Amino acid sequence: MELFKSMDNLNNKKDPQKANLVETEQVKCLIIGSGPAGYTAAIYASRANLKPVLYEGLQPGGQLTTTTEVENYPGYPEGVTGPVLMEDLKRQAKRFGTDVRWGIATSADLSNHPYKITIDDKNIIEAKTVIIATGASAKYLGLEAEKKYAGMGVSACATCDGFFYKGKDIAVVGGGDTAAEEAIYLAGLCNKVYIIVRKNYMRASKTMLAKVEKTPNIEILYEHNTKDLFGEDGVEGAILIKKMGTPDEEKVKINIHGFFLAIGHHPNSDIFSNWLERDDVGYIKTIPGTSKTNLPGVFACGDVQDPHYRQAITAAGSGCIAALDAERFLSSL
Ligand code: NDP
Protein backbone atom coordinates (compact mmCIF):
# COMPACT_ATOMS: atom_id res chain seq x y z
CA MET A 1 0.00 0.00 0.00
CA GLU A 2 2.77 2.37 1.00
CA LEU A 3 4.61 1.58 -2.20
CA PHE A 4 1.60 2.59 -4.34
CA LYS A 5 1.14 5.76 -2.34
CA SER A 6 4.71 6.82 -2.83
CA MET A 7 4.61 5.98 -6.54
CA ASP A 8 1.49 8.13 -6.89
CA ASN A 9 3.27 10.97 -5.17
CA LEU A 10 6.20 10.50 -7.49
CA ASN A 11 3.93 10.64 -10.57
CA ASN A 12 2.18 13.75 -9.28
CA LYS A 13 5.50 15.43 -8.67
CA LYS A 14 6.65 14.57 -12.17
CA ASP A 15 3.59 15.92 -13.94
CA PRO A 16 0.67 16.95 -11.70
CA GLN A 17 -1.72 17.53 -14.63
CA LYS A 18 -0.98 14.17 -16.19
CA ALA A 19 -1.75 12.29 -12.97
CA ASN A 20 -5.54 12.69 -13.37
CA LEU A 21 -5.68 12.84 -17.14
CA VAL A 22 -8.73 11.13 -18.65
CA GLU A 23 -8.40 10.19 -22.26
CA THR A 24 -11.47 9.89 -24.50
CA GLU A 25 -11.23 8.05 -27.77
CA GLN A 26 -13.85 7.56 -30.49
CA VAL A 27 -14.14 4.16 -32.11
CA LYS A 28 -16.54 2.57 -34.58
CA CYS A 29 -16.56 -0.82 -32.96
CA LEU A 30 -15.55 -1.73 -29.43
CA ILE A 31 -15.27 -5.40 -28.52
CA ILE A 32 -15.08 -6.31 -24.84
CA GLY A 33 -13.70 -9.76 -24.10
CA SER A 34 -11.13 -12.07 -25.62
CA GLY A 35 -12.67 -15.54 -25.67
CA PRO A 36 -13.74 -17.29 -28.89
CA ALA A 37 -16.75 -14.93 -29.21
CA GLY A 38 -14.69 -11.74 -28.88
CA TYR A 39 -11.93 -12.83 -31.25
CA THR A 40 -14.35 -14.18 -33.87
CA ALA A 41 -16.26 -10.89 -33.73
CA ALA A 42 -12.89 -9.14 -34.14
CA ILE A 43 -11.91 -11.23 -37.18
CA TYR A 44 -15.19 -10.41 -38.94
CA ALA A 45 -15.28 -6.76 -37.84
CA SER A 46 -11.70 -6.05 -38.90
CA ARG A 47 -12.19 -7.75 -42.28
CA ALA A 48 -15.28 -5.54 -42.74
CA ASN A 49 -13.10 -2.50 -42.03
CA LEU A 50 -14.86 -1.57 -38.77
CA LYS A 51 -11.41 -0.99 -37.24
CA PRO A 52 -12.33 -2.78 -34.01
CA VAL A 53 -10.63 -2.11 -30.72
CA LEU A 54 -10.72 -5.18 -28.47
CA TYR A 55 -10.07 -5.13 -24.73
CA GLU A 56 -8.92 -8.46 -23.42
CA GLY A 57 -10.45 -8.21 -19.95
CA LEU A 58 -9.62 -9.86 -16.68
CA GLN A 59 -8.75 -13.25 -18.14
CA PRO A 60 -7.08 -12.74 -21.55
CA GLY A 61 -8.12 -15.61 -23.80
CA GLY A 62 -11.16 -16.37 -21.64
CA GLN A 63 -12.20 -19.64 -20.00
CA LEU A 64 -10.40 -21.82 -22.54
CA THR A 65 -7.04 -20.73 -21.22
CA THR A 66 -7.81 -22.75 -18.10
CA THR A 67 -8.46 -25.99 -19.99
CA THR A 68 -5.77 -28.28 -21.30
CA GLU A 69 -6.68 -30.18 -24.46
CA VAL A 70 -9.55 -29.00 -26.70
CA GLU A 71 -10.63 -31.82 -29.00
CA ASN A 72 -14.04 -30.63 -30.15
CA TYR A 73 -13.17 -27.35 -31.88
CA PRO A 74 -13.50 -27.94 -35.63
CA GLY A 75 -10.34 -27.55 -37.67
CA TYR A 76 -7.96 -29.21 -35.20
CA PRO A 77 -8.13 -32.93 -36.02
CA GLU A 78 -5.34 -33.72 -33.56
CA GLY A 79 -6.77 -31.46 -30.82
CA VAL A 80 -5.23 -28.26 -29.54
CA THR A 81 -4.56 -26.84 -26.10
CA GLY A 82 -6.85 -24.03 -24.91
CA PRO A 83 -4.05 -21.44 -24.70
CA VAL A 84 -2.76 -22.28 -28.22
CA LEU A 85 -6.26 -22.08 -29.68
CA MET A 86 -6.76 -18.66 -28.12
CA GLU A 87 -3.36 -17.46 -29.31
CA ASP A 88 -4.25 -18.59 -32.85
CA LEU A 89 -7.55 -16.69 -32.70
CA LYS A 90 -5.77 -13.60 -31.41
CA ARG A 91 -3.17 -13.73 -34.20
CA GLN A 92 -5.93 -14.14 -36.77
CA ALA A 93 -7.78 -11.10 -35.39
CA LYS A 94 -4.59 -9.02 -35.35
CA ARG A 95 -3.69 -10.09 -38.89
CA PHE A 96 -6.72 -8.14 -40.16
CA GLY A 97 -5.92 -5.11 -38.06
CA THR A 98 -7.82 -5.58 -34.77
CA ASP A 99 -6.32 -3.31 -32.14
CA VAL A 100 -5.98 -5.78 -29.24
CA ARG A 101 -5.37 -4.06 -25.93
CA TRP A 102 -4.82 -5.13 -22.38
CA GLY A 103 -7.46 -3.55 -20.15
CA ILE A 104 -10.70 -4.14 -18.30
CA ALA A 105 -14.04 -2.45 -18.95
CA THR A 106 -14.84 -1.14 -15.48
CA SER A 107 -18.04 0.83 -16.09
CA ALA A 108 -20.50 1.70 -18.82
CA ASP A 109 -22.73 4.63 -19.67
CA LEU A 110 -25.14 3.51 -22.34
CA SER A 111 -27.58 6.40 -21.81
CA ASN A 112 -26.71 8.05 -25.14
CA HIS A 113 -25.27 7.04 -28.47
CA PRO A 114 -22.29 6.87 -29.01
CA TYR A 115 -21.91 4.75 -25.91
CA LYS A 116 -19.27 5.38 -23.28
CA ILE A 117 -17.25 2.56 -21.79
CA THR A 118 -14.61 3.27 -19.17
CA ILE A 119 -11.47 1.18 -19.27
CA ASP A 120 -9.44 0.53 -16.11
CA ASP A 121 -11.46 3.24 -14.29
CA LYS A 122 -9.64 5.80 -16.39
CA ASN A 123 -9.86 6.01 -20.16
CA ILE A 124 -13.21 6.49 -21.85
CA ILE A 125 -14.00 4.87 -25.17
CA GLU A 126 -16.88 6.40 -27.12
CA ALA A 127 -18.16 3.64 -29.34
CA LYS A 128 -20.72 3.63 -32.14
CA THR A 129 -21.14 -0.09 -31.65
CA VAL A 130 -20.33 -2.20 -28.61
CA ILE A 131 -19.92 -5.96 -28.82
CA ILE A 132 -20.09 -7.53 -25.37
CA ALA A 133 -18.22 -10.82 -25.24
CA THR A 134 -17.32 -10.83 -21.57
CA GLY A 135 -18.20 -14.49 -20.99
CA ALA A 136 -19.28 -16.22 -17.82
CA SER A 137 -17.29 -17.61 -14.97
CA ALA A 138 -18.01 -21.05 -13.56
CA LYS A 139 -18.72 -21.03 -9.87
CA TYR A 140 -16.46 -23.05 -7.60
CA LEU A 141 -17.04 -24.28 -4.06
CA GLY A 142 -14.09 -22.28 -2.76
CA LEU A 143 -11.95 -25.23 -1.62
CA GLU A 144 -8.15 -24.94 -1.72
CA ALA A 145 -8.13 -28.38 -3.39
CA GLU A 146 -10.01 -26.99 -6.41
CA LYS A 147 -7.03 -24.76 -7.15
CA LYS A 148 -4.50 -27.46 -6.34
CA TYR A 149 -6.06 -29.95 -8.79
CA ALA A 150 -7.14 -27.48 -11.50
CA GLY A 151 -6.56 -29.28 -14.81
CA MET A 152 -5.53 -32.39 -12.81
CA GLY A 153 -8.96 -33.80 -12.06
CA VAL A 154 -11.01 -30.69 -11.35
CA SER A 155 -13.05 -29.30 -14.21
CA ALA A 156 -16.10 -27.12 -14.73
CA CYS A 157 -16.89 -28.41 -18.21
CA ALA A 158 -17.90 -32.01 -18.86
CA THR A 159 -18.05 -31.69 -22.65
CA CYS A 160 -14.55 -30.17 -22.70
CA ASP A 161 -12.80 -32.58 -20.36
CA GLY A 162 -15.05 -35.64 -19.91
CA PHE A 163 -13.22 -37.66 -22.54
CA PHE A 164 -10.09 -37.74 -20.38
CA TYR A 165 -11.99 -39.72 -17.75
CA LYS A 166 -13.18 -42.50 -20.06
CA GLY A 167 -13.76 -45.68 -18.08
CA LYS A 168 -13.05 -44.00 -14.74
CA ASP A 169 -15.18 -43.07 -11.73
CA ILE A 170 -15.99 -39.40 -11.39
CA ALA A 171 -18.30 -37.05 -9.46
CA VAL A 172 -20.42 -34.10 -10.53
CA VAL A 173 -21.38 -31.50 -7.91
CA GLY A 174 -24.72 -29.70 -8.16
CA GLY A 175 -28.41 -30.41 -8.32
CA GLY A 176 -29.56 -28.32 -11.28
CA ASP A 177 -30.07 -29.04 -14.97
CA THR A 178 -26.38 -28.59 -15.73
CA ALA A 179 -25.39 -31.20 -13.15
CA ALA A 180 -28.01 -33.60 -14.51
CA GLU A 181 -27.01 -33.00 -18.13
CA GLU A 182 -23.30 -33.30 -17.44
CA ALA A 183 -23.80 -36.44 -15.35
CA ILE A 184 -25.77 -38.08 -18.18
CA TYR A 185 -23.09 -37.08 -20.69
CA LEU A 186 -20.30 -38.38 -18.45
CA ALA A 187 -22.19 -41.59 -17.70
CA GLY A 188 -21.82 -42.43 -21.40
CA LEU A 189 -18.04 -42.21 -21.07
CA CYS A 190 -17.20 -43.10 -17.51
CA ASN A 191 -17.51 -46.24 -15.43
CA LYS A 192 -19.44 -44.61 -12.59
CA VAL A 193 -20.78 -41.14 -11.96
CA TYR A 194 -21.70 -39.79 -8.52
CA ILE A 195 -23.85 -36.67 -8.31
CA ILE A 196 -23.15 -34.79 -5.09
CA VAL A 197 -26.27 -32.84 -4.09
CA ARG A 198 -26.35 -30.72 -0.96
CA LYS A 199 -30.14 -30.88 -0.46
CA ASN A 200 -32.40 -33.92 -0.24
CA TYR A 201 -33.71 -33.26 -3.76
CA MET A 202 -32.40 -32.11 -7.12
CA ARG A 203 -33.81 -28.91 -8.52
CA ALA A 204 -33.26 -30.14 -12.10
CA SER A 205 -36.37 -30.45 -14.30
CA LYS A 206 -38.47 -33.61 -13.96
CA THR A 207 -37.47 -34.81 -17.42
CA MET A 208 -33.77 -34.47 -16.68
CA LEU A 209 -34.16 -36.09 -13.29
CA ALA A 210 -36.04 -39.02 -14.82
CA LYS A 211 -33.16 -39.49 -17.29
CA VAL A 212 -30.64 -39.40 -14.45
CA GLU A 213 -32.60 -41.95 -12.45
CA LYS A 214 -32.84 -44.24 -15.46
CA THR A 215 -29.07 -44.22 -16.03
CA PRO A 216 -27.68 -47.31 -14.27
CA ASN A 217 -24.15 -46.04 -13.63
CA ILE A 218 -25.24 -42.78 -11.94
CA GLU A 219 -25.58 -42.69 -8.16
CA ILE A 220 -27.05 -39.59 -6.52
CA LEU A 221 -25.60 -38.74 -3.13
CA TYR A 222 -28.27 -36.53 -1.57
CA GLU A 223 -27.46 -34.34 1.42
CA HIS A 224 -23.73 -34.53 0.82
CA ASN A 225 -21.29 -31.62 0.86
CA THR A 226 -17.73 -31.77 -0.39
CA LYS A 227 -15.11 -31.10 2.25
CA ASP A 228 -11.88 -31.90 0.42
CA LEU A 229 -10.18 -33.74 -2.43
CA PHE A 230 -7.13 -35.94 -2.16
CA GLY A 231 -4.59 -37.61 -4.47
CA GLU A 232 -0.89 -37.73 -5.29
CA ASP A 233 -0.52 -36.48 -8.88
CA GLY A 234 -4.17 -35.70 -9.45
CA VAL A 235 -7.56 -36.32 -7.89
CA GLU A 236 -7.92 -39.81 -6.45
CA GLY A 237 -10.90 -39.20 -4.20
CA ALA A 238 -13.14 -36.83 -2.29
CA ILE A 239 -14.08 -36.46 1.36
CA LEU A 240 -17.78 -35.70 1.73
CA ILE A 241 -19.89 -34.82 4.72
CA LYS A 242 -23.31 -36.46 4.81
CA LYS A 243 -26.15 -34.61 6.58
CA MET A 244 -23.81 -31.82 7.55
CA GLY A 245 -24.71 -29.95 10.73
CA THR A 246 -27.16 -32.59 11.99
CA PRO A 247 -26.73 -35.18 14.75
CA ASP A 248 -26.43 -37.81 11.99
CA GLU A 249 -23.47 -36.05 10.37
CA GLU A 250 -21.10 -38.58 8.83
CA LYS A 251 -17.81 -38.48 6.90
CA VAL A 252 -17.90 -40.31 3.57
CA LYS A 253 -14.94 -41.10 1.29
CA ILE A 254 -15.40 -41.77 -2.42
CA ASN A 255 -12.70 -42.83 -4.87
CA ILE A 256 -12.90 -40.74 -8.03
CA HIS A 257 -10.49 -39.42 -10.68
CA GLY A 258 -12.56 -36.48 -11.88
CA PHE A 259 -14.45 -33.82 -9.94
CA PHE A 260 -16.81 -31.76 -12.10
CA LEU A 261 -18.33 -28.52 -10.83
CA ALA A 262 -21.87 -27.83 -12.05
CA ILE A 263 -23.10 -25.36 -9.47
CA GLY A 264 -23.88 -22.58 -11.91
CA HIS A 265 -22.13 -19.84 -13.82
CA HIS A 266 -21.99 -16.14 -13.27
CA PRO A 267 -22.26 -14.13 -16.51
CA ASN A 268 -19.92 -11.15 -16.51
CA SER A 269 -22.56 -8.56 -17.24
CA ASP A 270 -22.74 -6.57 -14.02
CA ILE A 271 -21.43 -3.28 -15.43
CA PHE A 272 -24.32 -3.24 -17.93
CA SER A 273 -27.06 -3.92 -15.38
CA ASN A 274 -28.45 -0.37 -15.49
CA TRP A 275 -28.85 -0.42 -19.25
CA LEU A 276 -29.38 -3.88 -20.64
CA GLU A 277 -32.16 -6.37 -20.10
CA ARG A 278 -30.84 -9.46 -18.35
CA ASP A 279 -32.47 -12.62 -17.03
CA ASP A 280 -32.67 -13.48 -13.32
CA VAL A 281 -29.15 -14.93 -13.29
CA GLY A 282 -27.62 -12.01 -15.21
CA TYR A 283 -27.41 -13.38 -18.75
CA ILE A 284 -27.88 -10.54 -21.25
CA LYS A 285 -31.09 -10.99 -23.23
CA THR A 286 -30.73 -10.94 -27.01
CA ILE A 287 -33.38 -11.06 -29.71
CA PRO A 288 -33.48 -14.76 -30.64
CA GLY A 289 -31.43 -15.56 -33.72
CA THR A 290 -29.48 -12.29 -33.41
CA SER A 291 -26.97 -10.67 -31.07
CA LYS A 292 -29.14 -7.57 -30.62
CA THR A 293 -29.78 -6.36 -27.08
CA ASN A 294 -32.50 -3.90 -26.06
CA LEU A 295 -30.20 -1.02 -27.13
CA PRO A 296 -29.49 -0.31 -30.80
CA GLY A 297 -25.81 -0.75 -31.56
CA VAL A 298 -25.11 -2.87 -28.48
CA PHE A 299 -24.63 -6.55 -29.21
CA ALA A 300 -23.90 -9.53 -26.98
CA CYS A 301 -22.31 -12.82 -27.94
CA GLY A 302 -20.80 -15.88 -26.33
CA ASP A 303 -21.42 -17.11 -22.80
CA VAL A 304 -22.55 -13.74 -21.41
CA GLN A 305 -25.84 -14.30 -23.27
CA ASP A 306 -25.95 -18.11 -23.45
CA PRO A 307 -26.99 -20.18 -20.44
CA HIS A 308 -27.59 -23.27 -22.57
CA TYR A 309 -24.76 -24.31 -24.90
CA ARG A 310 -21.60 -22.60 -23.57
CA GLN A 311 -19.26 -24.18 -26.11
CA ALA A 312 -16.25 -22.50 -27.74
CA ILE A 313 -17.69 -23.13 -31.19
CA THR A 314 -21.16 -21.77 -30.35
CA ALA A 315 -19.51 -18.72 -28.79
CA ALA A 316 -17.42 -18.24 -31.94
CA GLY A 317 -20.55 -18.52 -34.11
CA SER A 318 -22.36 -15.92 -32.03
CA GLY A 319 -19.30 -13.63 -32.27
CA CYS A 320 -19.58 -13.79 -36.05
CA ILE A 321 -23.30 -12.89 -35.77
CA ALA A 322 -22.45 -9.91 -33.53
CA ALA A 323 -19.91 -8.52 -35.99
CA LEU A 324 -22.37 -8.87 -38.89
CA ASP A 325 -25.09 -7.19 -36.81
CA ALA A 326 -22.67 -4.36 -35.92
CA GLU A 327 -21.69 -3.90 -39.54
CA ARG A 328 -25.34 -3.67 -40.63
CA PHE A 329 -26.11 -1.24 -37.81
CA LEU A 330 -23.21 1.04 -38.80
CA SER A 331 -24.21 1.06 -42.45
CA SER A 332 -27.74 2.10 -41.43
CA LEU A 333 -26.54 5.24 -39.60
P1 NDP B 1 -28.67 -23.77 -11.15
O1 NDP B 1 -28.47 -22.46 -10.51
O2 NDP B 1 -30.01 -24.12 -11.69
O3 NDP B 1 -28.28 -24.95 -10.14
C1 NDP B 1 -27.10 -24.88 -9.40
C2 NDP B 1 -27.05 -26.11 -8.51
O4 NDP B 1 -25.82 -26.08 -7.81
C3 NDP B 1 -28.18 -26.16 -7.48
O5 NDP B 1 -28.62 -27.49 -7.31
C4 NDP B 1 -27.48 -25.68 -6.20
O6 NDP B 1 -27.96 -26.26 -5.02
C5 NDP B 1 -26.07 -26.19 -6.42
N1 NDP B 1 -25.11 -25.40 -5.68
C6 NDP B 1 -24.88 -24.07 -5.76
N2 NDP B 1 -23.90 -23.71 -4.92
C7 NDP B 1 -23.49 -24.83 -4.30
C8 NDP B 1 -22.53 -25.14 -3.31
N3 NDP B 1 -21.76 -24.17 -2.80
N4 NDP B 1 -22.38 -26.43 -2.91
C9 NDP B 1 -23.14 -27.40 -3.43
N5 NDP B 1 -24.09 -27.20 -4.36
C10 NDP B 1 -24.27 -25.93 -4.79
O7 NDP B 1 -27.53 -23.82 -12.30
P2 NDP B 1 -27.45 -24.70 -13.61
O8 NDP B 1 -26.12 -24.39 -14.20
O9 NDP B 1 -27.77 -26.10 -13.32
O10 NDP B 1 -28.58 -24.10 -14.56
C11 NDP B 1 -28.60 -22.73 -14.93
C12 NDP B 1 -29.81 -22.47 -15.83
O11 NDP B 1 -29.61 -23.11 -17.10
C13 NDP B 1 -31.08 -23.05 -15.24
O12 NDP B 1 -32.13 -22.19 -15.55
C14 NDP B 1 -31.24 -24.36 -15.97
O13 NDP B 1 -32.58 -24.78 -16.03
C15 NDP B 1 -30.68 -24.00 -17.35
N6 NDP B 1 -30.17 -25.20 -18.03
C16 NDP B 1 -31.01 -25.88 -18.84
C17 NDP B 1 -30.58 -27.02 -19.47
C18 NDP B 1 -31.52 -27.73 -20.35
O14 NDP B 1 -32.66 -27.34 -20.41
N7 NDP B 1 -31.09 -28.75 -21.04
C19 NDP B 1 -29.23 -27.55 -19.30
C20 NDP B 1 -28.44 -26.77 -18.40
C21 NDP B 1 -28.91 -25.64 -17.78
P3 NDP B 1 -29.38 -25.90 -4.39
O15 NDP B 1 -30.42 -26.56 -5.26
O16 NDP B 1 -29.26 -26.50 -3.05
O17 NDP B 1 -29.47 -24.39 -4.39
Side-chain angles (χ1 to χ4, degrees), residues 141 173-179 181 198-199 203 262-264 307-308 310:
L141 296 170
V173 192
D177 280 324
T178 302
E181 199 171 61
R198 65 180 171 183
K199 290 195 176 134
R203 75 156 84 156
I263 60 169
H308 298 295
R310 297 197 294 253

Side-chain angles (χ1 to χ4, degrees), residues 185-313:
Y185 174 79
L186 290 164
L189 292 168
C190 303
N191 178 54
K192 167 141 194 168
V193 176
Y194 294 98
I195 307 183
I196 304 167
V197 183
R198 65 180 171 183
K199 290 195 176 134
N200 63 359
Y201 65 90
M202 281 185 76
R203 75 156 84 156
S205 63
K206 281 196 178 119
T207 334
M208 295 295 277
L209 192 54
K211 277 190 196 165
V212 165
E213 285 168 346
K214 256 202 268 168
T215 310
N217 59 338
I218 296 182
E219 183 181 345
I220 309 175
L221 301 174
Y222 287 112
E223 294 183 89
H224 281 69
N225 279 274
T226 312
K227 186 165 184 270
D228 205 359
L229 302 172
F230 60 86
E232 284 288 311
D233 296 321
V235 172
E236 288 171 15
I239 308 287
L240 313 177
I241 306 292
K242 188 177 175 184
K243 295 188 185 260
M244 197 164 78
T246 72
D248 301 330
E249 183 172 301
E250 192 187 323
K251 200 169 165 185
V252 176
K253 195 171 122 183
I254 54 170
N255 294 320
I256 48 164
H257 284 95
F259 184 76
F260 287 83
L261 279 306
I263 60 169
H265 281 74
H266 183 72
N268 302 316
S269 63
D270 292 351
I271 63 165
F272 305 106
S273 61
N274 287 341
W275 319 102
L276 297 183
E277 283 174 15
R278 305 186 301 162
D279 71 8
D280 293 346
V281 180
Y283 288 97
I284 295 175
K285 289 187 182 174
T286 52
I287 297 172
T290 78
S291 65
K292 295 175 187 170
T293 67
N294 55 302
L295 289 180
V298 180
F299 308 95
C301 53
D303 286 11
V304 73
Q305 51 86 55
D306 173 15
H308 298 295
Y309 301 105
R310 297 197 294 253
Q311 299 302 299
I313 189 63

Side-chain angles (χ1 to χ4, degrees), residues 18-245:
K18 219 175 179 178
N20 295 317
L21 189 73
V22 173
E23 288 172 26
T24 302
E25 181 186 353
Q26 272 99 22
V27 304
K28 265 207 245 183
C29 177
L30 173 67
I31 300 171
I32 312 170
S34 58
Y39 279 135
T40 305
I43 292 164
Y44 274 76
S46 49
R47 292 188 80 246
N49 207 24
L50 306 189
K51 301 191 183 341
V53 170
L54 178 149
Y55 279 94
E56 290 188 306
L58 207 54
Q59 188 181 20
Q63 291 179 69
L64 274 187
T65 54
T66 61
T67 61
T68 45
E69 199 73 5
V70 179
E71 292 185 330
N72 54 7
Y73 197 88
Y76 291 92
E78 309 303 329
V80 60
T81 67
V84 168
L85 173 59
M86 295 322 301
E87 200 48 44
D88 281 353
L89 284 171
K90 181 177 180 172
R91 278 200 297 133
Q92 196 173 351
K94 284 175 105 170
R95 178 180 153 210
F96 298 111
T98 302
D99 185 348
V100 178
R101 300 178 185 173
W102 199 89
I104 297 162
T106 43
S107 60
D109 176 0
L110 308 184
S111 55
N112 287 301
H113 187 261
Y115 302 112
K116 292 189 182 66
I117 306 288
T118 304
I119 307 295
D120 295 334
D121 288 320
K122 191 172 166 237
N123 298 333
I124 294 171
I125 304 285
E126 259 187 26
K128 286 188 178 164
T129 57
V130 180
I131 295 179
I132 303 167
T134 43
S137 308
K139 289 187 195 159
Y140 285 81
L141 296 170
L143 303 173
E144 267 309 305
E146 289 169 319
K147 288 184 205 147
K148 182 175 168 191
Y149 297 110
M152 292 163 62
V154 172
S155 168
C157 179
T159 32
C160 318
D161 298 328
F163 188 74
F164 305 111
Y165 300 91
K166 211 172 170 180
K168 300 198 167 144
D169 291 357
I170 61 99
V172 175
V173 192
D177 280 324
T178 302
E181 199 171 61
E182 305 224 323
I184 293 163
Y185 174 79
L186 290 164
L189 292 168
C190 303
N191 178 54
K192 167 141 194 168
V193 176
Y194 294 98
I195 307 183
I196 304 167
V197 183
R198 65 180 171 183
K199 290 195 176 134
N200 63 359
Y201 65 90
M202 281 185 76
R203 75 156 84 156
S205 63
K206 281 196 178 119
T207 334
M208 295 295 277
L209 192 54
K211 277 190 196 165
V212 165
E213 285 168 346
K214 256 202 268 168
T215 310
N217 59 338
I218 296 182
E219 183 181 345
I220 309 175
L221 301 174
Y222 287 112
E223 294 183 89
H224 281 69
N225 279 274
T226 312
K227 186 165 184 270
D228 205 359
L229 302 172
F230 60 86
E232 284 288 311
D233 296 321
V235 172
E236 288 171 15
I239 308 287
L240 313 177
I241 306 292
K242 188 177 175 184
K243 295 188 185 260
M244 197 164 78

